């Protein structure tokens, strides 16, 4: 089987068919200064200093002696991710991509790297909030109250001088922005990321950063081989909101390297070779752990996943089904996809926990999954089911 699947066109438009994805939402954490401490090291020790408070001055004995406690906290880089890709010299010519070789890696970063980094950063921060018990059990009917409770939890630790940010799942963000009761409290403010200033909505001086739900989960599996990428774990739950100081997390990108080899410089094949590597992690200093707060969705439990099926072309019958439960009202939406869960589109009319296999399918292999949504906000996807349609007699 060839590594790449390429379509050979008679005429090329001059543009890649770009996927519509969100750009990085957590990249501004790179503005924080800790990354410089990792130059030449995988692990860095940051000293935590603790003092005793003031005591009375005694006019006979003078000062009350106090202790200074210094403890070193280790921060170790964990995410060393990479991918190498080949495109045959002739394929480049025949597909017309040759003059777009420089755009290929940029598109890779936009569609694969940025989403994974966001998912890792948000899941790790939500995990820290959960470990510390810095979570709320809000009511989705009152999202503004939940947001204010999170903000107050952070401000109780850091005060009112620190700039705060709130990552908000898109469904919850929509509820906040469309609520007539709180619309007067929403303002448009400037938000600086590196050298770029953006306009974002804010509440009580806290910038709201909307993030697609796929990147707002509590836990992911970052696949080490094969198709790579990342997928939510079976136990993953939605993160409705995550609030912390803008300076509270440190996204350390120790290296981000892109290498391009031409066919003349690549001895193993007559092909262009594209290498990408990123070595990164996100850290919260010990002194800032109590300033990370999250609102985690109630769990959705899938007790029976859809099973693979084999049917015969021309006389297709059967269905795919899922059994799920949760604390709220569940709705269902079935999707067609490829073996890796990409190239998705909704299956028309498939909005219950059971989907009838389309009778019009021709011989071949098809893939489906179901997206289960709780109370219109939190969601979870089933495993992908394979439907094999055998040729009829």
């Amino acid at each position: 089987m060839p590594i790449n699947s390429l379509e050979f066109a008679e005429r090329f438009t001059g543009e890649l068919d770009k996927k519509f994805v969100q750009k990085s939402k957590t990249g501004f954490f790179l503005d924080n200064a800790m990354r410089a401490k990792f130059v030449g090291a995988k692990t860095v020790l940051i000293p935590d200093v603790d003092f005793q408070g003031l005591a009375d001055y005694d006019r006979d004995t003078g000062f009350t002696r106090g202790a200074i406690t210094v403890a070193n906290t280790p921060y170790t880089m964990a995410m060393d991710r990479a991918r190498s890709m080949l495109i045959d010299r002739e394929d480049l010519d025949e597909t017309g991509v040759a003059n777009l070789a420089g755009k290929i890696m940029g598109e890779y970063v936009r569609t694969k790297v940025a989403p994974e980094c966001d998912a890792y950063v948000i899941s790790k921060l939500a995990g820290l909030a959960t470990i510390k018990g810095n979570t709320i059990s809000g009511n989705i009917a009152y999202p503004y109250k939940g947001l204010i409770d999170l903000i107050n939890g952070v401000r109780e630790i850091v005060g009112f001088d620190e700039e705060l940010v709130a990552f908000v799942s898109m469904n919850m963000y929509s509820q906040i922005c469309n609520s007539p009761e709180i619309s007067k409290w929403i303002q448009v403010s400037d938000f600086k990321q590196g050298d770029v200033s953006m306009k974002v909505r804010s509440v009580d001086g806290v910038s709201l950063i909307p993030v697609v739900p796929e990147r707002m989960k509590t836990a992911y599996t970052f696949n080490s081989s094969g198709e790579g990428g990342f997928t939510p774990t079976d136990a993953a739950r939605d993160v409705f909101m995550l609030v912390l100081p803008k300076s509270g997390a440190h996204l350390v990108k120790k290296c981000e390297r892109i290498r391009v080899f031409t066919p003349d410089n690549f001895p193993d094949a007559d092909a262009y070779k594209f290498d990408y590597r990123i070595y990164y992690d996100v850290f919260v200093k010990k002194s800032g752990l109590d300033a990370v707060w999250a609102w985690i969705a109630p769990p959705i439990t899938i007790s029976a996943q859809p099973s693979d099926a084999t049917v015969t072309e021309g006389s297709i019958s059967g269905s795919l089904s899922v059994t799920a439960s949760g604390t709220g009202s569940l709705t269902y939406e079935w999707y067609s996809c490829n073996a890796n869960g990409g190239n998705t589109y909704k299956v028309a009319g498939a909005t219950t926990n059971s989907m009838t296999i389309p009778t019009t399918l021709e011989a071949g292999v098809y893939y489906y999954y179901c997206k289960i949504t709780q109370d219109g906000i939190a969601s979870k996807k089933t495993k992908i089911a394979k439907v094999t349609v055998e040729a009829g007699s």
Side-chain angles (χ1 to χ4, degrees), residues 23-253:
K23 296 180 181 178
S24 174
K25 294 296 181 178
T26 59
F28 63 86
F29 286 138
L30 280 168
D31 297 341
N32 299 333
M34 186 192 273
R35 65 185 184 273
K37 305 182 190 304
F38 277 83
V39 175
K42 180 178 181 179
T43 301
V44 166
L45 297 176
I46 304 289
D48 297 303
V49 182
D50 192 20
F51 304 93
Q52 292 179 318
L54 290 171
D56 286 344
Y57 179 81
D58 189 292
R59 299 198 175 191
D60 292 324
T61 61
F63 295 91
T64 301
R65 182 173 296 178
I68 300 175
T69 303
V70 179
N72 289 320
T73 301
Y75 299 87
T76 303
M77 304 284 289
M79 298 297 286
D80 196 351
R81 308 282 282 169
R83 177 62 78 181
S84 182
M85 294 163 282
L86 297 180
I87 299 183
D88 187 90
R89 184 203 297 265
E90 297 306 318
D91 290 344
L92 277 173
D93 293 339
E94 293 170 16
T95 57
V97 186
N99 63 332
L100 293 177
K103 296 182 180 180
I104 290 176
M105 294 311 298
E107 189 68 3
Y108 184 75
V109 170
R110 191 178 73 91
T111 61
K112 299 298 182 183
V113 179
E116 178 174 311
C117 288
D118 281 349
Y120 176 76
V121 169
I122 290 171
S123 64
K124 184 171 181 179
L125 293 176
L128 293 174
T130 301
I131 291 172
K132 297 293 291 184
N134 297 336
T135 60
I136 66 167
S137 299
N139 187 334
I140 61 172
Y142 304 99
Y144 179 71
K145 181 181 184 305
L147 176 61
I148 294 302
D149 287 345
L150 291 173
I151 292 172
N152 289 340
V154 177
R155 283 181 171 162
E156 186 176 344
I157 303 299
V158 303
F160 285 81
D161 296 333
E162 286 285 337
E163 181 180 0
L164 307 186
V165 294
F167 297 100
V168 185
S169 181
M170 285 294 296
N171 295 332
M172 189 66 74
Y173 180 81
S174 177
Q175 280 199 305
I176 291 175
C177 294
N178 292 330
S179 174
E181 291 82 9
I182 64 174
S183 59
K184 64 182 180 180
W185 298 104
I186 298 178
Q187 300 176 329
V188 176
S189 59
D190 292 322
F191 185 81
K192 191 171 179 62
Q193 179 167 320
D195 296 327
V196 179
S197 291
M198 302 176 292
K199 296 292 184 181
V200 299
R201 292 182 176 183
S202 63
V203 171
D204 197 23
V206 179
S207 298
L208 305 182
I209 311 297
V211 186
V212 292
E214 286 75 13
R215 305 186 201 178
M216 293 282 285
K217 305 287 185 181
T218 56
Y220 294 90
T221 296
F222 296 92
N223 303 309
S224 60
S225 59
E227 293 294 331
F230 63 100
T231 53
T233 65
D234 290 340
R237 293 158 62 181
D238 277 28
V239 180
F240 284 158
M241 299 181 190
L242 178 70
V243 179
L244 70 159
K246 186 179 179 183
S247 61
H250 304 264
L251 180 56
V252 180
K253 190 159 53 175

Side-chain angles (χ1 to χ4, degrees), residues 234 302-308 321-323 380-384:
D234 290 340
I302 299 177
S303 54
Q305 297 279 353
S307 301
D308 295 345
S321 63
V322 58
T323 303
K380 190 170 186 176
K381 296 178 182 178
T382 67
K383 297 185 184 300
I384 297 172

